[in-house]
Amino acid sequence: KVVNINYIPWCAATVSPVLGTVAARLKHSLPDLTYDYGALEPHINAEIMQLHHSKHHATYVNNLNVTEEKYQEALAKGDVTAQVSLQPALRFNGGGHINHTIFWTNLSQNGGGEPQGELAAAIKRDFGSFQTLKDKMSAVTVAVQGSGWGWLGFDKESGKLRITACHNQDPLQGTTGLVPLLGIDVWEHAYYLQYKNVRPDYVKAIWNVINWENVSERLQAAKK
Amino acid sequence: MSNLVRISSSPACAMMASTASISRFSVSKVTSKVIEPHIDARTMEIHHSKHHNAYTTNLNAAIAGTDLEGKTIENILINLDKTNAAVRNNGGGFYNHNLFWTVMSANGGGLPTGELLAAIESSFGTFEEFKAKFAKAGATQFGSGWAWLCVQKGGKLDVCGTPNQDNPLMPEVGCGGTPILGMDVWEHAYYLHYQNRRPDYIEAFFNVINWTEVSRRFALEK
């Protein structure tokens, strides 16, 4: 199941013009997980999942809302300097919200195993084998310096799957154009309580909980 | 297994660590008193024996057989080719953590005195203003990185943040000058005890700053 980001749609502004433009701005909220915090044990423990979702992701959502509000004000005033100075915060917090929303759907207690159907075929075509994909994506993800994400993405131009990494919370599509299919968070908060400095062990373990149905759905959506 | 982790407050250790043997850097000894509850022993142990150790090992591997072998770490960083990721990340990590252990102490905290305090007041107004600026640099460093207090030639002090394992010795990084105080804000520096609460860690850090060592570095580098 794909988790929905809850938006107050723009159309609400027309329904209630009294609210004014500020109240009608998009307001992001923390999506619920479709599983319990302990569902991914022993691969990712409950304590990590709880902190990661209810603290880290929640903070990105809150800070995104605050930043967007300031951005709306800057737009309204025509203050381009302020708009530019808010860009990093939009990137951090917007990217953080996007990335984690995808991530929760990429994981499942029924995950693991191998992808099927069109996704499996695409993986074979673009990487040679599923094992090669795993090896390459693991290597790229482990090698991220500092904080960041490893990504499996879809290149609309070539129609091919690509592996890459992004720094900090840079969102894949917003910065590279690739459509995100599967992300692996390697900020230390994603694994430290359980794996400490041994990032490779975490990356190895996470393959056990990858929700290949979700990754397949994302590929289908990306191809449209 | 003892849960006491010892941190070196000996400047000799820091100096030795940076010049060490001709071709190999080695992790500075970490000796003295435990700094709980501000920074927990388990974090210190993993931070030193795993993270710092890995930077040291990887740095040695990166410079083996190159003309960087035999140079001091300061020399390597000041003349860094920033496109050399292995030396940048691991050389930075090696230096930064060497400095970090020396600027913390169980007898730390409180206020600086003498010339250093005068310089802080001259550069920032009051100690509180410096503290706020330094804390902000750490809190707003997005992702992994460090907050620094640096001295320029002539004695002026600056505060800046840098990403990942960069530091102001590197060309065109941060505020330049020479770091005399650093605070690690990579999540591994605080996560076991503080989780996502980086600001709480930053506040606690001020209880362990070894101002004697920071003053020594200030006098040496100004």
Side-chain angles (χ1 to χ4, degrees):
Chain A
K1 281 185 194 157
V2 179
V3 175
N4 292 316
I5 301 175
N6 300 314
Y7 285 103
I8 298 173
W10 275 112
C11 62
T14 61
V15 169
S16 179
V18 185
L19 290 175
T21 49
V22 173
R25 65 174 164 78
L26 292 169
K27 191 171 166 71
H28 306 283
S29 59
L30 182 68
D32 291 330
L33 302 188
T34 55
Y35 42 81
D36 290 340
Y37 287 134
L40 306 181
E41 299 225 359
H43 310 292
I44 305 176
N45 73 25
E47 198 187 358
I48 288 176
M49 291 301 291
Q50 177 167 16
L51 284 165
H52 204 173
H53 177 253
S54 71
K55 302 288 182 194
H56 291 275
H57 188 178
T59 299
Y60 290 126
V61 170
N62 294 338
N63 290 344
L64 176 60
N65 286 331
V66 166
T67 306
E68 282 191 344
E69 185 146 7
K70 290 181 185 170
Y71 200 84
Q72 290 288 346
E73 287 168 21
L75 279 171
K77 288 185 210 165
D79 186 344
V80 179
T81 298
Q83 288 165 40
V84 172
S85 73
L86 289 165
Q87 293 292 333
L90 279 175
R91 186 176 179 135
F92 301 157
N93 295 295
H97 181 34
I98 290 169
N99 294 339
H100 289 86
T101 300
I102 293 169
F103 190 50
W104 310 134
T105 72
N106 282 161
L107 305 174
S108 163
Q109 67 266 50
N110 304 316
E114 298 201 13
Q116 307 295 321
E118 274 198 54
L119 175 58
I123 287 172
K124 191 152 186 230
R125 181 196 67 209
D126 295 334
F127 301 105
S129 70
F130 174 61
Q131 188 61 47
T132 307
L133 163 74
K134 271 178 71 169
D135 292 343
K136 283 193 165 172
M137 189 165 172
S138 295
V140 165
T141 302
V142 168
V144 168
Q145 286 298 322
S147 306
W149 291 70
W151 288 103
L152 176 67
F154 178 71
D155 182 345
K156 283 180 167 271
E157 278 187 32
S158 66
K160 292 201 182 302
L161 301 177
R162 299 238 181 275
I163 292 169
T164 188
C166 288
H167 185 52
N168 285 352
Q169 293 296 352
D170 288 355
L172 182 69
Q173 191 161 9
T175 58
T176 70
L178 296 174
V179 178
L181 305 180
L182 168 63
I184 300 177
D185 188 347
V186 285
W187 280 63
E188 287 171 328
H189 65 239
Y191 60 90
Y192 208 80
L193 292 179
Q194 186 173 353
Y195 293 95
K196 314 299 186 297
N197 60 304
V198 194
R199 187 190 276 182
D201 283 1
Y202 155 72
V203 173
K204 193 170 174 208
I206 204 169
W207 294 104
N208 292 305
V209 290
I210 300 300
N211 181 348
W212 291 113
E213 279 177 27
N214 176 263
V215 182
S216 292
E217 282 169 20
R218 291 182 178 279
L219 178 60
Q220 291 317 308
K223 282 172 157 181
K224 288 184 186 147
Chain B
M1 175 164 142
S2 169
N3 63 358
L4 286 182
V5 178
R6 301 177 163 277
I7 316 154
S8 173
S9 53
S10 157
C13 272
M15 297 292 281
M16 263 174 59
S18 66
T19 54
S21 53
I22 290 174
S23 60
R24 292 184 60 81
F25 292 104
S26 54
V27 180
S28 52
K29 284 195 206 298
V30 175
T31 58
S32 101
K33 299 184 183 72
V34 70
I35 51 173
E36 300 230 13
H38 310 295
I39 300 181
D40 60 291
R42 198 143 158 259
T43 294
M44 287 296 295
E45 191 196 332
I46 298 172
H47 203 171
H48 176 251
S49 70
K50 306 287 183 194
H51 293 275
H52 189 190
N53 205 7
Y55 288 124
T56 307
T57 303
N58 295 339
L59 171 63
N60 283 323
I63 64 173
T66 73
D67 62 358
L68 298 179
E69 221 171 355
K71 295 197 153 94
T72 66
I73 188 61
E74 290 82 2
N75 191 317
I76 290 175
L77 295 177
I78 288 166
N79 298 298
L80 180 69
D81 167 10
K82 291 198 290 187
T83 67
N84 185 338
V87 176
R88 182 176 183 167
N89 294 323
N90 295 296
F94 172 73
Y95 173 91
N96 296 342
H97 290 86
N98 277 352
L99 187 151
F100 190 49
W101 312 133
T102 70
V103 297
M104 291 191 289
S105 161
N107 303 317
L111 297 176
T113 57
E115 274 196 47
L116 176 59
L117 180 60
I120 285 173
E121 287 172 342
S122 166
S123 300
F124 302 105
T126 62
F127 177 77
E128 287 306 318
E129 284 168 276
F130 151 71
K131 184 177 172 180
K133 200 164 184 187
F134 188 80
K136 189 177 178 190
T140 59
Q141 185 57 43
F142 195 70
S144 308
W146 289 74
W148 301 105
L149 174 64
C150 296
V151 65
Q152 314 293 341
K153 285 296 172 202
K156 184 175 180 294
L157 294 172
D158 285 305
V159 159
C160 63
T162 57
N164 291 355
Q165 293 298 347
D166 282 358
N167 69 56
L169 285 180
M170 297 177 181
E172 282 149 39
V173 168
C175 48
T178 304
I180 61 175
L181 171 63
M183 176 176 65
D184 191 347
V185 291
W186 282 61
E187 285 174 327
H188 65 239
Y190 60 88
Y191 209 83
L192 293 180
H193 188 57
Y194 293 96
Q195 289 86 59
N196 60 305
R197 302 182 316 274
R198 190 191 284 187
D200 287 357
Y201 156 71
I202 292 173
E203 186 61 39
F205 180 75
F206 276 89
N207 292 315
V208 300
I209 296 177
N210 180 350
W211 289 112
T212 305
E213 171 63 10
V214 180
S215 291
R216 186 194 70 81
R217 288 176 179 270
F218 172 71
L220 194 63
E221 302 291 350
K222 68 181 165 96

